[in-house]
Coordinates of all heavy atoms in Angstrom, one line a residue:
G22 N -5.4 -3.8 6.0 CA -6.3 -3.3 6.9 C -5.7 -2.1 7.7 O -6.1 -1.8 8.8
V23 N -4.8 -1.4 7.0 CA -4.2 -0.2 7.6 C -4.9 1.1 7.0 O -5.0 1.2 5.8 CB -2.7 -0.1 7.3 CG1 -2.1 1.2 7.9 CG2 -2.0 -1.3 7.8
T24 N -5.4 1.9 7.9 CA -6.0 3.2 7.4 C -5.1 4.0 6.7 O -4.0 4.3 7.1 CB -6.6 4.0 8.6 OG1 -7.6 3.2 9.3 CG2 -7.3 5.2 8.2
S25 N -5.4 4.4 5.4 CA -4.5 5.3 4.6 C -5.4 6.2 3.7 O -6.5 5.9 3.4 CB -3.5 4.5 3.8 OG -4.2 3.8 2.8
F26 N -4.7 7.3 3.4 CA -5.4 8.3 2.5 C -4.5 8.7 1.5 O -3.3 8.9 1.7 CB -5.9 9.5 3.4 CG -6.7 9.1 4.5 CD1 -6.1 9.0 5.8 CD2 -8.1 9.0 4.4 CE1 -6.9 8.7 6.9 CE2 -8.9 8.6 5.5 CZ -8.3 8.5 6.8
F27 N -4.9 8.9 0.3 CA -4.1 9.4 -0.9 C -4.7 10.5 -1.6 O -5.9 10.6 -1.9 CB -3.9 8.2 -1.8 CG -3.2 8.7 -3.1 CD1 -1.8 8.8 -3.1 CD2 -3.9 9.0 -4.2 CE1 -1.2 9.2 -4.3 CE2 -3.3 9.4 -5.4 CZ -1.9 9.5 -5.4
L28 N -3.9 11.5 -1.9 CA -4.2 12.7 -2.8 C -3.2 12.8 -3.8 O -2.0 12.6 -3.5 CB -4.3 14.0 -1.9 CG -5.4 14.1 -1.0 CD1 -5.3 15.4 -0.2 CD2 -6.8 14.1 -1.7
A29 N -3.6 13.1 -5.0 CA -2.6 13.4 -6.1 C -1.6 14.5 -5.8 O -0.5 14.4 -6.1 CB -3.3 13.6 -7.4
E30 N -2.1 15.5 -5.1 CA -1.3 16.6 -4.7 C -1.9 17.3 -3.4 O -3.0 17.2 -3.1 CB -1.3 17.7 -5.8 CG -0.4 18.9 -5.4 CD -0.3 19.9 -6.6 OE1 -0.9 19.6 -7.6 OE2 0.4 20.9 -6.4
T31 N -1.0 17.7 -2.6 CA -1.3 18.4 -1.3 C -0.2 19.4 -1.0 O 0.8 19.3 -1.6 CB -1.6 17.4 -0.2 OG1 -2.2 18.2 0.9 CG2 -0.3 16.8 0.3
D32 N -0.4 20.2 0.0 CA 0.6 21.2 0.4 C 1.7 20.4 1.1 O 2.9 20.6 0.7 CB 0.1 22.3 1.2 CG -0.7 21.9 2.4 OD1 -0.9 20.7 2.6 OD2 -1.2 22.7 3.2
S33 N 1.4 19.6 2.1 CA 2.4 18.9 2.9 C 1.7 17.7 3.5 O 0.6 17.9 4.1 CB 3.1 19.8 3.9 OG 3.5 19.0 5.0
T34 N 2.2 16.5 3.5 CA 1.5 15.4 4.2 C 1.4 15.6 5.7 O 0.4 15.2 6.3 CB 2.2 14.1 3.8 OG1 3.5 14.1 4.2 CG2 2.0 13.7 2.4
N35 N 2.4 16.2 6.3 CA 2.4 16.5 7.7 C 1.3 17.5 8.0 O 0.5 17.3 9.0 CB 3.7 17.0 8.2 CG 4.6 15.8 8.7 OD1 4.6 14.7 8.2 ND2 5.4 16.1 9.7

Side-chain angles (χ1 to χ4, degrees):
V23 178
T24 300
S25 71
F26 306 94
F27 172 81
L28 290 174
E30 183 175 358
T31 190
D32 52 359
S33 156
T34 55
N35 267 36

